[in-house]
Amino acid sequence: MDLKVVWAVMQWPLAACLLLPPLLVYLGLHVVKREVIFVDLALAQMATLGTCVALILGYQFDDQAAFWISLGVTFLGAALFSWSRSSRKRPVPQEAIIGITFVVAAAGVILLLSRVAGGKEELEHLLTGDILNVTRSEVGQRTGLFVVLAAFFALFHRRFALISTDPDQAFADGMRVRLWDFLFYAAFALVVVSFVRVAGVLLTFAYLIVPAVCGVMLRQGWMARLVVGWVVAATASLLGLWASYQLDLPTGAAIVCACGLLLILVSGFAVLRRA
């Protein structure tokens, strides 16, 4: 095997899989704390719906207009989720709102793509992404964006952490929970839209949830769990990229399966450690 050829093919997919997931892991920790596991999947599906709207309007997948339309639709989902969670007396559980949003968005994607030439192929692309063909420019743009968003979340981490772990206390302290929740979900939506466009819905969901769950199983504290989550994401990325190259498998699906395998191993280790 020519290592130069392997490096030429894999360098930017590897860079994307190592540089971008840490922010996703951090957001995943919030999702686990809030017990709204499928909120990221629902936002990813909203982003996909926005892309489909752009395709119906005649734009191409890589057009800037398609990105902004997708982001706008996802912001609507962010506003809905912040509103549905910020009330202490909710007649309807937020998970129900999230589930309904996901199902309706998924149905909308199917309906819209039925009117697009090659709709089946577009649906597969939106689900699995094309991270193997990610470019230096795409990695650089998203890395810059994720650094800015990471600084935003770091600056207001105490507020977001309090809302995620003890929303009643946040209300009691006089925080404008509805506003801060919208800011959280809006930044979350920007991360999801940016990553879905290169990695697809499935890999985005896997990076958001699986490493965070592994971190929660093994460690206490935000930073320790973030480190564990990044290690799990990086390991799954290396395994998935290796399997994809060696066995000619879809890259995104291979990394998702590697995440699932690592979750099983971590779960077994956690059970043995408790025993």
Side-chain angles (χ1 to χ4, degrees):
M1 183 187 303
D2 190 339
L3 293 180
K4 290 184 178 180
V5 174
V6 175
W7 177 249
V9 172
M10 291 294 185
Q11 58 177 325
W12 296 117
L14 179 61
C17 291
L18 294 180
L19 295 175
L20 303 182
L23 183 55
L24 297 172
V25 175
Y26 173 78
L27 293 171
L29 291 173
H30 278 282
V31 168
V32 172
K33 283 287 187 181
R34 293 173 179 230
E35 298 181 351
V36 286
I37 303 302
F38 293 103
V39 68
D40 43 6
L41 189 59
L43 285 175
Q45 198 64 55
M46 291 289 287
T48 303
L49 178 63
T51 301
C52 293
V53 171
L55 294 175
I56 285 290
L57 294 177
Y59 296 105
Q60 298 299 314
F61 180 82
D62 295 325
D63 290 345
Q64 280 294 107
F67 172 81
W68 290 111
I69 292 172
S70 178
L71 184 61
V73 173
T74 312
F75 274 171
L76 294 177
L80 175 62
F81 298 150
S82 62
W83 169 81
S84 65
R85 184 179 186 273
S86 296
S87 174
R88 284 172 289 179
K89 296 180 179 180
R90 300 191 301 265
V92 179
Q94 191 185 24
E95 280 289 344
I97 303 296
I98 293 170
I100 293 169
T101 302
F102 170 76
V103 169
V104 173
V109 168
I110 294 172
L111 291 177
L112 291 178
L113 287 182
S114 69
R115 299 296 181 180
V116 175
K120 183 178 180 181
E121 290 74 16
E122 288 288 352
L123 179 59
E124 182 179 357
H125 176 72
L126 291 169
L127 284 174
T128 61
D130 193 19
I131 200 167
L132 190 61
N133 292 318
V134 68
T135 64
R136 176 180 180 179
S137 175
E138 290 173 328
V139 173
Q141 291 172 0
R142 282 158 178 80
T143 300
L145 174 64
F146 280 27
V147 167
V148 172
L149 291 173
F152 167 76
F153 283 114
L155 182 62
F156 299 111
H157 169 70
R158 290 184 181 275
R159 294 175 183 267
F160 292 138
L162 180 60
I163 294 173
S164 293
T165 57
D166 194 352
D168 289 336
Q169 184 61 47
F171 277 108
D173 290 347
M175 286 181 59
R176 301 178 66 182
V177 175
R178 195 180 298 275
L179 172 62
W180 285 105
D181 236 16
F182 174 73
L183 293 176
F184 173 81
Y185 280 120
F188 196 146
L190 186 54
V191 172
V192 167
V193 171
S194 300
F195 200 72
V196 162
R197 292 178 68 81
V198 297
V201 173
L202 298 180
L203 185 54
T204 301
F205 180 75
Y207 275 143
L208 278 163
I209 293 301
V210 175
V213 170
C214 292
V216 170
M217 286 181 177
L218 297 180
R219 288 290 183 267
Q220 298 293 325
W222 287 88
M223 184 55 67
R225 288 172 172 177
L226 183 60
V227 171
V228 170
W230 179 80
V231 171
V232 169
T235 303
S237 299
L238 292 173
L239 289 174
L241 288 170
W242 176 84
S244 173
Y245 187 84
Q246 291 290 332
L247 305 176
D248 192 24
L249 298 172
T251 307
I255 297 175
V256 171
C257 289
C259 285
L261 176 62
L262 289 177
L263 178 59
I264 293 172
L265 294 176
V266 168
S267 300
F269 175 77
V271 169
L272 291 175
R273 188 175 64 172
R274 286 196 299 270

